[in-house]
Amino acid sequence: MRGAVISPDGAVVPPGYGPDPVPAGRKAGAVLDAATLLLGNAQRLLDDHSRAVTCVRDAFHPLQQELVGVELGAIPLSRLKEVTAGRLRLGALEQAGLTSVREVHEAGRHALRQLPGVGAHTADQAVAAAGRIAEAVGETVSVRIDVDHPEPRTTALVAALHRLVGAGPGLRRAHDTADRLGTRLRGLLPEAEPARGRLRMALSGRDRRARALGAADRIRGLLDEAAEADVPLLLAQVSADLLREPASEIECWVDFELRSAEYYSLLAETVGSAPDLASSEGFIPSEIAGRVRAQQLDDTRLRVSLRGYQSFGARFALAQRRVIIGDEMGLGKTVQAIAALAHLAARGGTHFMVVCPNSVLINWTREIGTRSTLRAIPVHGPERQEAFSEWREGGGVAVTTFDSLHTLPLPRHGQPEPAVREAGKPRPAGPEPAGPHMLVVDEAHYVKNPDTRRSRAMSGWTEQAGHVLFLTGTPMENRVAEFRSLIRRLQPALAPDVQGIDAVAGSHAFRRAVAPAYLRRNQRDVLAELPALVQVDEWEELGADDLAAYREAVSAAHFMRMRRAAYARPETSAKLGRLRELVAEAAANELKVVVFSYFREVLAAVRQALGEGVFGPLSGDVPGARRQHTVDRFTAAPGHAVLLSQIQAGGIGLNMQAASVVILCEPQVKPTLEHQAVARAHRMGQVRPVHVHRLLTVDSLDQRLLDILADKNRLFDAYARRSDLAEATPDAIDVSDRDIARRIVEEEQLRLATGTGTNAPG
């Protein structure tokens, strides 16, 4: 019948009798043509990505094999016997002059069989054992790209990675979308093919027609979803980026130096050299890790690709709701927090808050705008109340400081929204949630003491927030009790399990008890590409003038004057003399230097000793925006430059990857201050080895302080880091800063009075 259509049940419906049941004829044909075109674009992107990945792997493999060869060359031949449980006979191989596993691995079966006394069985066993060792070594070696010594092979690798990095953060989303669409369309298109024409439908059986119409309908839904999410544009943009050739090798190297973290992240993802799963998940119990893995992470509002461990950290914050991420400095805690905020925003969240030290407020505002599509609103300074009102009315991320928080009105009492709504669903009727959907607290150890004003203000906001994320690389500085106070603030239900457990059962039980609220990863576990950290203690003799100043400070029992006595006479100071030598050496190599001291007077002496052209000093009374501006100018300066900073001002929050030489003018009472300061330079994004020089003097308090710091570091390792061996209890070494000062003063007074003992390094 002319003009008739086929209904889903196979009946012929004359024209004019009821609606067209589903797309058929030319309608269905247009839908299927559009789907075929989209499938082709998706497949082209997958093919382009596959070729780019192959280029990276081809460039990476010879570099990795060279490192494996070096490692195998250091492994004696006798280790082959261990791999074969003693079954392999090595006598003939040794008599032939073979001494290392590398020689066996490179020789191969045929060459070994030609050796006198080596039979086929021995040769096969030896090569197989060497291969197993080579595989194990291959999983441990790390290819580091030396930006200062480029050569053809590393240039090829950087150029291959440049194409993937240039595709931007949309690459992963485009690839996953193309893969998902391709799988679904390849299954649906053949099934929907009869719906292209009425004749095909008429010649198909009833079940076949029903399946074709259903498949066509599902394809239409897929096309609508793709159009709504701008998938065709995303695929086209990323494909164009993958096909774009770099202008030059120099462009690739410059881009690598600027964005090395992204290059190394893609390299690890591409060649499968990601860190051990347990390491990247902070060795938390399997039941918690499983819950976190099941947590989805919506990255549609992110502008940066996450590493695997960073994605896990963001999902940990979402799944566990009220937690501490205590990752070691330089692992990207900020971006993990932003990823969690972006997820909640993508699922309908509107109001978020970040509380941080004044020194990093500008950095947080920048990072939120650079790494996500969220709007950051600084709530600080004279106009903070107006900014706060703007945030309350329009939403976004309010970025404020610890000192400003108590001036902001708390949300009205009530329960925060229990969960963010799913994307696309309208907000339920009723009042807005009482507090922000997520509260992020950077350097959360600032509120470890519950009796301070800033801690009381923080408690009010944490009670009202839907999610709370504390960030700190130093969750406890001197006392395990301080760490417990943060845990109690987040998850009071854990307090009974944590209280007193350290003294009874040690660090393992303590970490298991706090696992639901605490995640920590260390650089050595998850950043295999991080350049070397070389730490050197520079010991000097006190000059006559400095020794006189030191004795005077000891006699007066003035601990702080004792610490800076080595700089009392700048013109004869041995420490300043060594510092000038180190800076001169860095200048000769065009390296940037950052100099840290606790004391402004010391930095003033350093500035005078070095002359003009020195940046800073950064200090506590320099506004955060000016600190960031100074760091930016230091970073942008061509070649050698020196930045001076008080360690408590510049050692937190600011990124100083441009510096590859760090000079500590004196040891610090708190080891965390030194860790934080060094981590400003030795962090993700650093492309050069970082050399840390700590200036020390013999026959002074420096050695005594180092001994005490070593004990405090062991406490931190046992409770705040992963440690399978340490079982220290805080009772043995838990001391406060005041205790340290009094103890050192008394010991130095006794030593100088009796003339016994020495503090020379041992």
Side-chain angles (χ1 to χ4, degrees), residues 272-286:
S273 60
D276 173 72
L277 183 63
S279 300
S280 66
E281 295 180 350
F283 303 96
I284 61 176
S286 58

Side-chain angles (χ1 to χ4, degrees), residues 448-449 475-487:
K448 64 193 176 188
N449 185 346
M476 46 145 282
E477 292 179 82
N478 297 329
R479 301 180 184 277
V480 176
E482 295 167 358
F483 186 28
R484 285 198 297 263
S485 73
L486 295 182
I487 296 293

Side-chain angles (χ1 to χ4, degrees), residues 224-438:
D224 289 343
E225 291 175 9
E228 185 177 354
D230 287 329
V231 169
L233 178 61
L234 174 66
L235 298 182
Q237 288 176 334
V238 173
S239 283
D241 290 335
L242 286 173
L243 294 173
R244 184 179 297 117
E245 293 289 340
S248 66
E249 293 178 353
I250 294 177
E251 177 188 332
C252 296
W253 277 109
V254 169
D255 192 56
F256 169 76
E257 187 162 1
L258 292 173
R259 299 193 286 172
S260 64
E262 295 180 47
Y263 278 75
Y264 276 121
S265 177
L266 277 169
L267 178 62
E269 182 180 321
T270 302
V271 302
S273 60
D276 173 72
L277 183 63
S279 300
S280 66
E281 295 180 350
F283 303 96
I284 61 176
S286 58
E287 64 273 15
I288 298 176
R291 183 160 61 249
V292 174
R293 292 187 207 114
Q295 168 70 49
Q296 293 185 344
L297 183 64
D298 191 327
D299 64 354
T300 55
R301 300 200 62 177
L302 271 182
R303 289 175 172 160
V304 65
S305 297
L306 299 178
R307 294 196 171 200
Y309 75 87
Q310 292 173 332
S311 173
F312 186 86
R315 287 181 285 141
F316 178 81
L318 295 168
Q320 299 298 99
R321 299 186 68 85
R322 306 172 75 82
V323 300
I324 299 172
I325 291 183
D327 287 346
E328 193 171 19
M329 297 292 172
L331 294 184
K333 293 188 289 293
T334 299
V335 76
Q336 294 176 62
I338 292 173
L341 295 174
H343 169 90
L344 294 173
R347 299 300 176 94
T350 56
H351 290 71
F352 311 97
M353 178 175 282
V354 172
V355 184
C356 61
N358 177 38
S359 60
V360 294
L361 182 139
I362 299 300
N363 188 62
W364 265 101
T365 305
R366 279 183 171 187
E367 291 288 289
I368 291 168
T370 301
R371 299 178 182 274
S372 74
T373 62
L374 304 181
R375 183 176 69 128
I377 304 172
V379 181
H380 181 59
E383 299 179 355
R384 61 181 175 273
Q385 296 299 338
E386 291 82 355
F388 183 73
S389 297
E390 178 187 347
W391 172 71
R392 290 292 299 270
E393 294 174 6
V397 185
V399 185
T400 191
T401 66
F402 291 106
D403 294 330
S404 296
L405 186 64
H406 76 277
T407 70
L408 305 179
L410 274 170
R412 60 183 178 276
H413 290 290
Q415 293 299 316
E417 189 176 32
V420 178
R421 70 185 189 277
E422 290 299 314
K425 294 184 180 180
R427 182 179 294 282
E432 287 291 310
H437 290 104
M438 174 171 272

Side-chain angles (χ1 to χ4, degrees), residues 352-696:
F352 311 97
M353 178 175 282
V354 172
V355 184
C356 61
N358 177 38
S359 60
V360 294
L361 182 139
I362 299 300
N363 188 62
W364 265 101
T365 305
R366 279 183 171 187
E367 291 288 289
I368 291 168
T370 301
R371 299 178 182 274
S372 74
T373 62
L374 304 181
R375 183 176 69 128
I377 304 172
V379 181
H380 181 59
E383 299 179 355
R384 61 181 175 273
Q385 296 299 338
E386 291 82 355
F388 183 73
S389 297
E390 178 187 347
W391 172 71
R392 290 292 299 270
E393 294 174 6
V397 185
V399 185
T400 191
T401 66
F402 291 106
D403 294 330
S404 296
L405 186 64
H406 76 277
T407 70
L408 305 179
L410 274 170
R412 60 183 178 276
H413 290 290
Q415 293 299 316
E417 189 176 32
V420 178
R421 70 185 189 277
E422 290 299 314
K425 294 184 180 180
R427 182 179 294 282
E432 287 291 310
H437 290 104
M438 174 171 272
L439 172 68
V440 177
V441 183
D442 194 13
E443 305 295 347
H445 51 277
Y446 278 33
V447 291
K448 64 193 176 188
N449 185 346
D451 298 326
T452 62
R453 182 176 67 179
R454 63 171 53 157
S455 294
R456 290 194 296 270
M458 186 64 65
S459 294
W461 282 92
T462 55
E463 290 171 2
Q464 300 294 328
H467 290 73
V468 181
L469 173 55
F470 282 5
L471 304 177
T472 174
T474 55
M476 46 145 282
E477 292 179 82
N478 297 329
R479 301 180 184 277
V480 176
E482 295 167 358
F483 186 28
R484 285 198 297 263
S485 73
L486 295 182
I487 296 293
R488 282 197 297 268
R489 190 86 52 86
L490 293 169
Q491 296 194 25
L494 292 179
D497 295 332
V498 175
Q499 185 65 38
I501 197 172
D502 51 315
V504 176
S507 60
H508 293 307
F510 183 86
R511 284 183 56 83
R512 175 165 287 277
V514 301
Y518 176 64
L519 176 68
R520 179 179 176 88
R521 281 76 56 89
N522 299 321
Q523 285 187 352
R524 63 177 178 269
D525 292 329
V526 296
L527 284 188
E529 82 281 359
L530 201 63
L533 178 66
V534 182
Q535 303 192 60
V536 180
D537 285 345
E538 306 278 355
W539 289 95
E540 304 293 333
E541 295 275 356
L542 282 171
D545 291 339
D546 291 335
L547 181 57
Y550 182 73
R551 288 179 175 275
E552 180 183 342
V554 172
S555 177
H558 198 302
F559 181 67
M560 289 304 188
R561 277 169 51 194
M562 291 167 59
R563 292 184 62 199
R564 60 181 186 269
Y567 301 92
R569 308 290 187 268
E571 59 277 6
T572 60
S573 169
K575 280 192 176 184
L576 272 180
R578 181 56 181 150
L579 186 146
R580 281 193 293 263
E581 293 172 356
L582 293 171
V583 171
E585 183 179 344
N589 290 281
E590 295 192 340
L591 301 177
K592 286 185 167 65
V593 181
V594 58
V595 179
F596 287 110
S597 175
Y598 188 87
F599 304 100
R600 297 188 190 191
E601 302 97 305
V602 171
L603 293 176
V606 172
R607 186 178 185 86
Q608 184 177 2
L610 295 180
E612 298 299 322
V614 176
F615 292 90
L618 306 179
S619 61
D621 58 0
V622 175
R626 278 181 53 197
R627 291 188 216 179
Q628 185 64 58
H629 180 61
T630 300
V631 173
D632 291 343
R633 290 193 300 116
F634 168 72
T635 301
H640 169 71
V642 179
L643 173 66
L644 307 182
S645 177
Q646 273 192 291
I647 197 165
Q648 60 272 47
I652 296 176
L654 298 173
N655 297 330
M656 302 174 180
Q657 297 101 313
S660 55
V661 177
V662 177
I663 300 176
L664 302 171
C665 290
E666 70 283 321
Q668 303 304 310
V669 179
K670 294 182 178 180
T672 53
L673 277 180
E674 291 193 7
H675 294 323
Q676 289 171 329
V678 172
R680 295 304 102 207
H682 191 247
R683 61 193 296 110
M684 187 168 52
Q686 177 61 262
V687 295
R688 293 180 174 87
V690 175
H691 294 261
V692 180
H693 300 269
R694 183 161 48 180
L695 302 179
L696 305 163

Side-chain angles (χ1 to χ4, degrees), residues 109-148:
R109 289 180 174 85
H110 179 73
L112 292 183
R113 290 177 182 179
Q114 309 308 309
L115 298 176
V118 178
H121 181 69
T122 298
D124 291 348
Q125 267 194 322
V127 169
R132 286 197 292 273
I133 293 177
E135 289 176 6
V137 170
E139 294 175 358
T140 62
V141 298
S142 299
V143 172
R144 294 187 175 93
I145 301 171
D146 189 347
V147 70
D148 292 319

